[in-house]
Amino acid sequence: MSIETAENQGGIVETAQEYALWVWDIASDWLLSPAAWTQFALLVLAFGLAVYVTRKATPVIVRLVTPPEEQTHIVARLRRYALIYLPLMLPLLAYAFTGAGEGVTRSLFGSGAVIAFGKRVFLFLAVRAFVRDIVKDSFLKMLGRYVLLPAMALHTLGLLNPAIDFLSNTIIQLGNISFSVMSLVRGVIAGALLFWLGRWSNDQSTTYIQKQEELRPATRQLAVKASEIFIFGLAFLLLLNIMGINLSALAVLGGAIGVGLGFGLQKIASNFISGVILLLEGQATVGDYVELDGGESGTIVKMTARAIFLETFDGRWIVVPNEDFITTRVVNYSDQGSSNRYEVEFSVSYDTDINKVPDIIEAAVAKHEGVLDTPYPPDCELRGFGDSGVDFAVEFWVNGFDDGENKYTSDVMFIVWNALKDAGIEIPYPHRVVEIKGGLPIAST
């Protein structure tokens, strides 16, 4: 053990001994002083009176504040919310009654140290009830349990200011940078609170924006991203200000980021700007079924600042950079509910009266519940004269695309088959005529 370490440990021991003697002197004075016993009696009386008032007043308050179950307006919700603070009634009443008695004891005895300590105890109990019974968020409960309650315990014992001075005077040196432990603790607590508040605010704003159904989905998505960037950017700037960091230093940081974007982050910047353009133009949005020039196809399930996520009908997700939606050809089969045209090809025998075929097929296909009359009803067209039969195709419009849950083409093929069979029309199969020159070979015996 070095001499410096031994000296530090000796200083800590001496400080602990001084605090122990200080506590012993206070305890001795309280135990031997009539004024202290009077203040103890007032504390007990104040607590007993608080218990009595709480028991009598709680049922009355619950009955008056609780709204009928069928009420859901904002006033009813506020009344229900106020009831969760009932656990604070007992310690706060004890604190108030003790405060009223403190003036009496100071006027009679010129001292109120004991009763002041009791007030701090009741305040600690109120904070403990708040953290234990009222706070429901897991993060805030953890922060209250490990930060607020220890701080209140130190305040109750009168050690909060010495602890703050000790942490402020303890300096951490990292190279040319030095800071106190207190500034680090303050930054951690403030950062945690700010970013929790930012997350809560972002959730609330996102919920509100998504409810605005009069806006296009792409516009809502852009508003959500803009609010998220604004909220967390503001939280970051506030944290820097709280920690005492000069905001002018951000100019240097911004220049460094600009250089990084110019060299190593070109693709990231390109994808981010492409994502903003997509959200502004609305040419593709969540729920659309798209097919890219590279062959990737699927339903858009998520749009982020970097990429768009497509879900195929076999359950796979394809991550497509936003830049691909700007620089390549994209086929949008959905286009927010537009109709699509499909066709089914078939053939009939040359013995068929082909003039009857269009009416038969068009009437049969039009009965399918998914086939539309607009923009055009089913249309059967003669396509050509094939080797084995006469070639036709029936075109039809549907609201959607032919994949996944929708089997329009398969359904129409069944309809065409059944309609031709019912009409007695033959669907041909290939015929081949084989000519053998020179006669058949004679089999040897």
Side-chain angles (χ1 to χ4, degrees):
M1 179 183 298
S2 62
I3 299 176
E4 183 179 358
T5 304
E7 291 177 353
N8 291 336
Q9 291 183 352
I12 294 174
V13 172
E14 292 177 359
T15 303
Q17 290 176 348
E18 291 177 359
Y19 277 116
L21 291 175
W22 173 68
V23 171
W24 173 253
D25 291 338
I26 293 177
S28 300
D29 293 339
W30 287 2
L31 292 174
L32 299 177
S33 171
W37 284 103
T38 304
Q39 294 175 54
F40 277 123
L42 284 174
L43 287 177
V44 173
L45 179 61
F47 183 76
L49 182 60
V51 172
Y52 176 78
V53 173
T54 301
R55 289 179 179 178
K56 293 295 183 180
T58 298
V60 178
I61 294 175
V62 171
R63 185 173 64 255
L64 294 177
V65 176
T66 303
E69 295 183 358
E70 64 273 9
Q71 293 184 2
T72 58
H73 50 77
I74 186 170
V75 176
R77 292 199 298 269
L78 289 175
R79 290 170 64 182
R80 293 189 182 96
Y81 181 74
L83 290 174
I84 69 175
Y85 290 94
L86 281 178
L88 298 180
M89 181 183 296
L90 175 60
L92 290 182
L93 282 177
Y95 180 85
F97 294 152
T98 305
E102 183 180 11
V104 177
T105 57
R106 289 190 182 277
S107 62
L108 293 177
F109 301 101
S111 174
V114 175
I115 207 165
F117 175 75
K119 285 176 59 179
R120 295 196 298 268
V121 170
F122 292 141
L123 187 61
F124 173 80
L125 293 177
V127 173
R128 179 174 175 270
F130 177 78
V131 173
R132 183 189 61 190
D133 301 325
I134 298 175
V135 176
K136 301 301 180 184
D137 184 83
S138 58
F139 173 77
L140 291 181
K141 187 178 285 291
M142 180 190 68
L143 201 63
R145 186 178 299 164
Y146 296 107
V147 177
L148 183 58
L149 285 180
M152 287 302 302
L154 292 175
H155 173 69
T156 303
L157 298 175
L159 300 177
L160 182 59
N161 290 332
I164 293 176
D165 294 338
F166 175 77
L167 295 177
S168 299
N169 295 327
T170 304
I171 305 299
I172 298 177
Q173 191 78 26
L174 296 176
N176 295 328
I177 302 175
S178 61
F179 52 89
S180 66
V181 176
M182 190 62 203
S183 63
L184 179 63
V185 172
R186 187 187 301 115
V188 171
I189 296 174
L193 286 174
L194 282 174
F195 281 95
W196 176 87
L197 184 61
R199 187 194 66 181
W200 180 83
S201 303
N202 183 60
D203 293 341
Q204 298 299 315
S205 62
T206 300
T207 302
Y208 175 77
I209 293 172
Q210 294 295 352
K211 290 181 179 179
Q212 310 306 310
E213 297 182 356
E214 66 275 7
L215 300 176
R216 292 188 299 112
T219 305
R220 294 200 298 267
Q221 193 74 11
L222 179 62
V224 168
K225 293 298 179 184
S227 65
E228 182 179 1
I229 293 173
F230 172 77
I231 289 172
F232 285 102
L234 180 62
F236 179 70
L237 293 178
L238 288 175
L239 178 60
L240 293 180
N241 193 23
I242 291 173
M243 296 184 67
I245 298 176
N246 189 0
L247 297 182
S248 62
L250 292 178
V252 179
L253 180 61
I257 293 176
V259 174
L261 290 176
F263 288 98
L265 304 178
Q266 294 182 18
K267 285 293 184 181
I268 295 177
S270 175
N271 286 320
F272 178 79
I273 296 173
S274 298
V276 174
I277 294 174
L278 286 171
L279 292 173
L280 287 173
E281 292 184 348
Q283 66 183 35
T285 187
V286 175
D288 287 353
Y289 184 84
V290 297
E291 181 179 353
L292 302 183
D293 203 21
E296 300 90 351
S297 62
T299 303
I300 299 177
V301 295
K302 186 179 181 182
M303 300 178 69
T304 65
R306 184 186 65 85
I308 291 179
F309 293 79
L310 306 181
E311 184 177 11
T312 63
F313 287 107
D314 54 4
R316 293 181 175 87
W317 279 31
I318 303 174
V319 182
V320 182
N322 291 329
E323 184 183 10
D324 291 354
F325 276 78
I326 300 296
T327 59
T328 61
R329 183 176 64 91
V330 179
V331 180
N332 192 335
Y333 288 94
S334 298
D335 194 19
Q336 300 180 8
S338 64
S339 303
N340 296 303
R341 192 195 72 174
Y342 296 96
E343 65 177 34
V344 169
E345 297 179 348
F346 62 96
S347 298
V348 299
S349 172
Y350 275 104
D351 297 331
T352 305
D353 183 1
I354 61 175
N355 297 297
K356 299 179 180 179
V357 172
D359 294 336
I360 295 173
I361 297 301
E362 290 172 2
V365 174
K367 295 179 181 179
H368 190 283
E369 60 181 7
V371 175
L372 305 176
D373 292 330
T374 56
Y376 300 102
D379 181 26
C380 185
E381 300 176 350
L382 176 64
R383 292 294 177 86
F385 301 99
D387 295 337
S388 303
V390 183
D391 298 329
F392 285 88
V394 57
E395 299 174 347
F396 57 95
W397 288 79
V398 293
N399 189 10
F401 45 90
D402 185 28
D403 206 341
E405 297 179 357
N406 303 321
K407 305 297 182 183
Y408 298 121
T409 302
S410 175
D411 293 344
V412 171
M413 291 179 73
F414 273 106
I415 291 173
V416 170
W417 173 276
N418 293 326
L420 294 178
K421 288 295 184 181
D422 293 342
I425 299 175
E426 180 184 353
I427 299 177
Y429 52 88
H431 292 79
R432 296 290 183 266
V433 177
V434 179
E435 181 181 354
I436 301 176
K437 294 183 178 181
L440 296 173
I442 300 173
S444 60
T445 58

